[in-house]
Amino acid sequence: MTAPDSAPNSVRPHGAGVAVLSDIHAVLPALEAVLAEPDVRAADRIVLTGDLLAGPLPRQTLARLRALGDRAVWISGNADREMAAARPGNEPADPMDAWAAGQLGPDELEFLGSLPATVTLEVAGLGPVLFCHATPRNDTEVALVDSRPERWAEVLAGVPDAVRTVVCGHTHMPFVRFTHGRLVVNPGSVGMPYGRPGAHWALLGPGGGAVTLRHTTFDHEAACARIARESDSPSAAAWADTYVRARYSAEEALAAFGPGDGRNTAPGTDG
């Protein structure tokens, strides 16, 4: 089974705006709230930058995303890759991810395994934009808003010169940074936000190539109750209480992720 869109790595023109949804983590109420946004409903494309189904409602979330048809551009995240490779004795380390993998059938896991690591799209006003999960070269690599310029030089080194905008996810914290002549955009997380409840996403293209970070509020208390009611995961209620209610602050997340970008090693020794 192949991903929707016959050539997901191809460059093709887009003029009506591109919505970017990352790190949904199978939180269907958050996804539904974002998809109901007028600008998302009107978007020419909806780019899904990975870690889509590793969470409490994987089957339901997959069905909702597939209903987007060829408007959706799918990209693999590290959790998607690990779920696709799950076998007895080789389950994802995260218990919720391992449980979610077990809820999907062979065809669905094969679909996850078929997703590309990067996609480049032509976006009105921005030119070719490279979309990925963590960085263009690795789906677990850490690069943050406050990472050293040398770190950004490393992770962007292989990006074609024509690409002046890179969109990534993975760390669940929205930001826009200009570095080494390129605009880097992280839309944040739809389903596992840090700092405040609600779904983070981004809109690209309308208004002469604008990049807008967006935040969609929804009834996260009702969402937690729904997840506890509809998910078969024994840890769904506790998981939703932690992540849908955004118990971790952005400062705590930066402290946790920060060492992963090599900031604590001597210059020239981090990879």
Side-chain angles (χ1 to χ4, degrees):
M1 185 180 299
T2 59
D5 200 337
S6 60
N9 287 326
S10 63
V11 176
R12 51 189 294 179
H14 299 289
V18 174
V20 187
L21 280 57
S22 190
D23 296 276
I24 297 166
H25 282 281
V27 179
L28 183 60
L31 172 64
E32 290 174 341
V34 173
L35 294 179
E37 289 275 13
D39 285 337
V40 177
R41 295 173 62 184
D44 185 51
R45 282 288 187 269
I46 300 174
V47 180
L48 310 169
T49 54
D51 282 11
L52 308 174
L53 305 182
L57 296 169
R59 297 187 308 275
Q60 301 92 320
T61 300
L62 177 59
R64 184 64 186 88
L65 291 174
R66 280 180 161 168
L68 295 172
D70 62 7
R71 292 180 66 213
V73 178
W74 300 67
I75 296 168
S76 177
N78 59 294
D80 307 305
R81 171 177 53 79
E82 292 165 5
M83 288 173 64
R87 302 291 185 274
N90 185 39
E91 295 86 359
D94 185 281
M96 178 58 82
D97 297 4
W99 174 85
Q103 303 305 297
L104 302 180
D107 288 350
E108 294 164 328
L109 293 173
E110 181 183 354
F111 169 72
L112 279 187
S114 75
L115 300 182
T118 67
V119 169
T120 300
L121 299 176
E122 190 80 18
V123 178
L126 294 172
V129 176
L130 187 150
F131 299 85
C132 59
H133 180 62
T135 73
R137 66 181 188 175
N138 189 296
D139 65 10
T140 60
E141 195 167 40
V142 173
L144 301 164
V145 66
D146 64 344
S147 292
R148 296 168 297 113
E150 295 81 5
R151 177 62 165 184
W152 282 107
E154 293 168 359
V155 302
L156 298 175
V159 177
D161 289 342
V163 173
R164 310 316 297 174
T165 303
V166 174
V167 179
C168 55
H170 185 54
T171 56
H172 299 204
M173 289 172 282
F175 67 82
V176 176
R177 174 169 174 169
F178 189 72
T179 181
H180 300 289
R182 290 188 170 96
L183 194 66
V184 179
V185 180
N186 189 318
S189 174
V190 170
M192 291 178 68
Y194 297 133
R196 60 177 175 176
H200 292 272
W201 54 284
L203 187 66
L204 313 180
V211 174
T212 309
L213 297 179
R214 301 289 294 271
H215 177 249
T216 297
T217 59
F218 58 94
D219 189 339
H220 56 277
E221 298 294 339
C224 287
R226 178 182 172 187
I227 288 169
R229 183 175 64 250
E230 296 183 5
S231 176
D232 295 328
S233 168
S235 62
W239 190 96
D241 179 73
T242 298
Y243 295 112
V244 178
R245 289 191 173 95
R247 300 292 192 187
Y248 293 111
S249 69
E251 292 73 26
E252 289 173 312
L254 279 170
F257 278 109
D261 73 356
R263 64 184 60 193
N264 296 332
T265 60
T269 63
D270 56 308

